[in-house]
Amino acid sequence: MSSKPRSMPVGQRNILRPNDSASLWNCTLSPGWSREEAELLRKALMRFGVGNWKDIMESGCLPGKTNAQLNLQTQRMLGQQSTAEFQLLHVDPLVIGAKNALIQGSDVKRKNGFIVNSGGKVTKEEKLRRIKENREKYELSEDVWKAIELPVNEDPAKVLAEKQQLLESLQTQLLAVRAEIGRRKDPPLSSHETDTENREAGATPKRLKTAAH
């Protein structure tokens, strides 16, 4: 079993802290990502595990983000294109990204700041070996990642649709209230009032005729 690097010990020390070097936080942002959103993704990866996009999206912490967007920003934080070797591991991606930023060599190819894949396809056995190794090096303890809380941010599109539906309902109610006010201002005549008006209307020609004589 490989030992953990001294700079990345077990537990909470496997998480970057505010007093750590600022350079460790300088991962590049994917288009459409803010620094605040990237920080939420970082915490979501620690809470749910790398590649667990379904649970991350269902948590509501990053509304509107797609699988592809989550994966690309994760690559940038990890500092490498391959995320498979961290599959479902509860890790701080910036810790791994800081390590990858130090890797140099003519055989190291980078794109958008992260190391891109080179060579042949990794076998299933090699992938599992890497996952095991990375778990030993970087996995957060269960009590740490379970304690991470994420805010629930409402999807703007969903909020807009709900507000529009509420507006339509209020407009319908307003029309009903206006109609009721109109009826109260000009109530229908009773049968007695109608008969009286009819009699008066019938008597008017007689009065006019008498006046003419």
Side-chain angles (χ1 to χ4, degrees):
M1 180 181 297
S2 59
S3 60
K4 293 178 181 287
R6 288 189 177 183
S7 59
M8 301 173 187
V10 183
Q12 293 188 6
R13 291 287 295 159
N14 245 3
I15 303 176
L16 293 185
R17 301 166 301 179
N19 60 344
D20 285 325
S21 173
S23 63
L24 300 180
W25 298 79
N26 290 337
C27 68
T28 58
L29 296 175
S30 298
W33 284 80
S34 66
R35 179 64 64 183
E36 292 73 21
E37 288 174 327
E39 176 61 17
L40 283 175
L41 175 58
R42 171 184 171 242
K43 291 181 178 179
L45 293 170
M46 291 190 283
R47 178 67 177 83
F48 298 108
V50 175
N52 193 358
W53 312 133
K54 179 177 180 293
D55 284 354
I56 291 176
M57 289 190 292
E58 289 181 352
S59 73
C61 66
L62 288 165
K65 297 298 184 186
T66 64
N67 287 7
Q69 289 174 316
L70 295 173
N71 185 66
L72 181 56
Q73 184 55 42
T74 298
Q75 289 175 330
R76 296 198 179 202
M77 286 193 287
L78 288 172
Q80 64 182 69
Q81 182 179 13
S82 175
T83 62
E85 61 195 74
F86 299 100
Q87 187 69 18
L88 300 182
L89 296 185
H90 302 268
V91 299
D92 184 341
L94 294 184
V95 168
I96 299 163
K99 176 188 74 69
N100 281 330
L102 300 176
I103 298 177
Q104 304 292 330
S106 58
D107 59 333
V108 178
K109 298 180 180 179
R110 294 183 182 274
K111 180 180 180 181
N112 296 321
F114 58 78
I115 300 172
V116 298
N117 296 336
S118 59
K121 184 178 180 180
V122 176
T123 64
K124 180 179 179 181
E125 291 73 19
E126 175 61 16
K127 173 187 171 182
L128 293 176
R129 186 195 68 78
R130 292 183 184 182
I131 290 176
K132 180 181 178 181
E133 181 180 338
N134 288 326
R135 178 180 290 110
E136 294 169 356
K137 286 184 177 180
Y138 306 114
E139 176 85 346
L140 303 175
S141 61
E142 185 173 347
D143 60 326
V144 170
W145 62 258
K146 278 191 172 181
I148 295 174
E149 296 183 358
L150 294 165
V152 177
N153 298 316
E154 294 184 287
D155 186 344
K158 182 180 179 181
V159 172
L160 178 60
E162 291 175 349
K163 296 297 184 183
Q164 287 177 332
Q165 186 176 10
L166 176 60
L167 177 59
E168 291 173 0
S169 175
L170 291 174
Q171 288 174 332
T172 301
Q173 294 178 40
L174 178 60
L175 291 175
V177 170
R178 284 177 173 172
E180 179 63 23
I181 292 174
R183 285 193 294 270
R184 292 186 180 184
K185 283 185 176 180
D186 189 18
L189 296 175
S190 65
S191 58
H192 175 70
E193 290 172 326
T194 302
D195 292 342
T196 301
E197 282 197 356
N198 289 338
R199 286 196 298 271
E200 290 177 350
T204 301
K206 292 182 179 181
R207 288 198 296 271
L208 291 175
K209 186 176 181 180
T210 302
H213 285 294

